[in-house]
Amino acid sequence: ILDSLTIVTPCSRPQNLPAMAESIKPGRSLFDLVWLVVFDNKECEESKVGNYQRNCALEAITDGWVYFLDDDTTIHPQFFAELAEVKSGAVAFEQDLGTWVRKVAPSEMKVCKIDMGQVAIRRDVIGDIRFALGIYEADGIFIQAVYGNNPEAWSFIEKPLCYYNKLR
């Protein structure tokens, strides 16, 4: 039986969805995969950079892996195969920024050191932690809180398994 994976995309750039969908397709052979695209309909004015949409998605997800994929990037070709091998409850990995690689380590699990695209987390490890709405750095705050709540649940992969703004 395949492990479940929900990919959450807060969306304000629908023109990128076809390229994103193409990059997600290979994951269907390794996961019971759901792609939740949550459109930004401006229903929450204080929300910044899709935080309200991420919180809405978390309310709908009950189990399995959760991965947040921004609407300006695609899935790394090795992401699914590597995630399928992870035995921990959460994983962080390096990020390919084109000209350099953002590293990952327990000491980097904090605001302005880690990007949302660098982590996949099981829903039960997230628990009731949510994204702060009006803060641009809410992804780092969220990751820091989830990591700080249960650091022993995490594993680290020292190779790039995600991109940053690949479609920009």
Side-chain angles (χ1 to χ4, degrees):
I1 187 161
L2 297 179
D3 209 352
S4 70
L5 166 63
T6 303
I7 297 173
V8 176
T9 299
C11 187
S12 62
R13 293 173 262 229
Q15 70 275 13
N16 290 343
L17 294 176
M20 295 174 72
E22 205 54 41
S23 77
I24 289 170
K25 269 187 200 170
R28 297 197 184 283
S29 64
L30 293 170
F31 291 94
D32 176 14
L33 196 139
V34 172
W35 184 22
L36 266 182
V37 179
V38 188
F39 289 93
D40 185 354
N41 295 321
K42 306 291 183 217
E43 64 269 30
C44 181
E45 287 304 318
E46 70 265 24
S47 179
K48 290 204 182 325
V49 295
N51 295 329
Y52 175 77
Q53 288 75 23
R54 287 184 186 95
N55 287 341
C56 288
L58 283 173
E59 295 307 318
I61 301 166
T62 57
D63 62 1
W65 286 104
V66 179
Y67 183 68
F68 295 95
L69 181 67
D70 287 347
D71 68 356
D72 61 359
T73 197
T74 56
I75 292 279
H76 191 283
Q78 275 122 36
F79 172 80
F80 294 114
E82 292 283 341
L83 183 61
E85 298 298 318
V86 173
K87 303 295 181 229
S88 60
V91 62
F93 33 86
E94 294 179 348
Q95 185 175 48
D96 180 347
L97 287 100
T99 56
W100 61 286
V101 171
R102 181 177 282 136
K103 299 295 184 187
V104 71
S107 61
E108 304 298 302
M109 302 298 284
K110 51 189 167 213
V111 182
C112 299
K113 295 284 189 180
I114 188 105
D115 183 73
M116 198 70 245
Q118 286 183 265
V119 300
I121 311 166
R122 289 196 168 275
R123 181 64 186 86
D124 61 318
V125 175
I126 295 170
D128 60 3
I129 298 169
R130 297 294 181 271
F131 292 85
L133 293 182
I135 303 170
Y136 181 79
E137 299 83 7
D139 61 341
I141 295 167
F142 176 85
I143 295 165
Q144 185 173 323
V146 174
Y147 178 75
N149 203 37
N150 192 355
E152 36 314 313
W154 289 78
S155 60
F156 296 87
I157 299 174
E158 293 180 353
K159 64 168 106 166
L161 293 179
C162 67
Y163 299 113
Y164 182 75
N165 296 353
K166 182 87 170 153
L167 296 175
R168 286 224 179 148

